[in-house]
Amino acid sequence: MIHVESLVKRYGGLTALDRVSFDVARGEILGFLGPNGAGKTTTMRILTCFLPATAGVAQVAGFDVFAQPVEVRQRVGYLPESVPLYPEMRVSEYLDFRARLKHVVRAARSGRIKELVETCGLGEVVRRPIAQLSRGYRQRVGLADALIASPPILILDEPTVGLDPNQIREVRTLIRELGKEHTILLSTHILPEVEMVCGRVVIIHQGRVVAQDTPARLREQLEGRSRVVVEVRGGPEEQVRETLGRIAGVKAVSPDGARLVIDVEPGKDVREDVFRAVVAGGWTLTELRTDAMSLEDIFVRVTTREDEGEKPVPKEEAA
């Protein structure tokens, strides 16, 4: 549904985007991540026809954003980080105005607005002027606007800015539900949210794509190994370490406070063998879990190594 190939954007001597390439499949929720100034918002503005590119290809729903901007805009719902609203309008008036601009048929307009007021949690403020709303409520109004014409594609730039933790959870659930009917490109700094909602991520840094794949595959590429954390009671630590170290696939066992960290060969799952060894030794197993990199760890690793001059994760490895 979204195809970006070798996209370049320059501002004078500054290169904001340097040959950015990625795809978003139909029905996919893609996390679009990067530090401030990495080029995320620039990419989104190009995809929504608000900004021309210097070079490259960008297609949305099969339409070229440069040659067919009207067709693209008809198929995209865009929530920018700073939502442009008319402060003098009431929420209901604004949504009706936007519905008319987006050619929502008159017979369906009232019902659609009522549905989105409930979906986006705007019932308490629907008759209030937008100027009186908090930033969180303004974000919700912007999200309702993005959804009002039922576009097949949603491009969301920091949709949870200004929301409290409960509201963030509600938006997370909403995005997950929207993913059943829409293709979504989601940019956010709340990385645990991305891990819960997105099946795949693209990480951009200094205008270039430095990694793209599922979080699980990125972990495998960056770690090159896996780890299991255990806590065993009732046995001498040295004896427990020696016993666990003899399990096939275990490379090393090292202490970490009251726990033991087991380094495992890539592709091996030793948890059942660890459980059996502990039971056979007559000890008590109080904790057994894998210790994987979080999405935050991945983000820091790929952006830091890029700053240090290391090569990004190759696209063919991420395929």
Side-chain angles (χ1 to χ4, degrees):
M1 292 291 280
I2 298 177
H3 173 66
V4 177
E5 183 178 347
S6 300
L7 200 63
V8 175
K9 178 60 180 178
R10 297 190 184 95
Y11 297 97
L14 173 66
T15 300
L17 297 178
D18 185 8
R19 293 166 294 172
V20 168
S21 298
F22 65 89
D23 291 283
V24 188
R26 183 184 299 274
E28 182 177 20
I29 305 178
L30 178 73
F32 194 47
L33 312 177
N36 289 333
K40 305 185 302 298
T41 297
T42 297
T43 303
M44 291 181 167
R45 287 176 177 171
I46 291 172
L47 290 174
T48 51
C49 308
F50 284 94
L51 191 68
T54 304
V57 175
Q59 296 176 342
V60 176
F63 297 97
D64 188 280
V65 299
F66 315 120
Q68 301 164 297
V70 174
E71 289 82 354
V72 169
R73 286 174 173 168
Q74 289 173 345
R75 289 160 178 83
V76 173
Y78 178 41
L79 175 66
E81 182 176 357
S82 298
V83 184
L85 303 171
Y86 292 103
E88 69 278 5
M89 281 186 167
R90 300 181 187 276
V91 172
S92 57
E93 294 171 342
Y94 177 77
L95 292 178
D96 181 71
F97 168 66
R98 295 294 292 167
R100 284 185 280 119
L101 281 182
K102 295 183 180 184
H103 305 293
V104 177
V105 295
R106 186 172 184 175
R109 201 178 299 154
S110 177
R112 182 61 177 159
I113 292 172
K114 186 178 297 185
E115 176 186 348
L116 288 173
V117 165
E118 180 178 351
T119 298
C120 297
L122 293 168
E124 295 182 1
V125 299
V126 69
R127 298 189 181 280
R128 288 171 57 183
I130 291 173
Q132 297 178 6
L133 302 185
S134 67
R135 185 172 183 181
Y137 272 119
R138 291 184 184 212
Q139 285 295 111
R140 296 197 208 184
V141 174
L143 182 58
D145 178 13
L147 291 167
I148 202 159
S150 301
I153 299 170
L154 295 174
I155 296 180
L156 310 178
D157 193 357
E158 301 291 346
T160 56
V161 167
L163 303 185
D164 64 37
N166 289 331
Q167 294 168 344
I168 289 173
R169 292 183 65 181
E170 292 171 2
V171 172
R172 178 207 311 162
T173 302
L174 174 59
I175 291 173
R176 192 181 292 120
E177 288 298 313
L178 291 172
K180 297 176 182 179
E181 299 179 2
H182 304 264
T183 299
I184 301 176
L185 180 63
L186 170 66
S187 173
T188 178
H189 283 97
I190 305 177
L191 299 186
E193 297 297 316
V194 175
E195 202 153 18
M196 293 178 188
V197 172
C198 302
R200 195 165 57 90
V201 298
V202 170
I203 302 177
I204 186 172
H205 183 48
Q206 296 181 347
R208 294 191 297 151
V209 173
V210 294
Q212 58 175 308
D213 210 324
T214 65
R217 288 179 181 171
L218 288 175
R219 287 190 194 99
E220 293 176 1
Q221 295 170 33
L222 295 171
E223 286 183 328
R225 59 182 173 81
S226 61
R227 299 197 306 176
V228 174
V229 177
V230 299
E231 184 176 356
V232 180
R233 295 179 181 174
E237 181 181 309
E238 195 62 34
Q239 184 180 354
V240 173
R241 288 176 60 185
E242 290 179 1
T243 300
L244 299 181
R246 290 194 293 267
I247 295 174
V250 172
K251 299 171 64 176
V253 182
S254 55
D256 181 16
R259 299 173 176 82
L260 296 173
V261 177
I262 305 172
D263 286 324
V264 183
E265 295 175 1
K268 293 282 188 177
D269 187 349
V270 301
R271 289 174 295 176
E272 289 187 13
D273 294 329
V274 168
F275 174 79
R276 294 192 187 98
V278 171
V279 172
W283 309 315
T284 301
L285 183 66
T286 57
E287 183 177 0
L288 173 61
R289 60 180 173 84
T290 57
D291 183 30
M293 295 176 71
S294 67
L295 185 56
E296 182 177 350
D297 295 329
I298 294 170
F299 180 89
V300 171
R301 179 78 66 85
V302 297
T303 55
T304 300
R305 74 180 189 176
E306 180 76 1
D307 288 335
E308 293 173 351
E310 296 183 35
K311 293 181 179 179
V313 178
K315 183 176 180 180
E316 57 269 19
E317 289 185 12

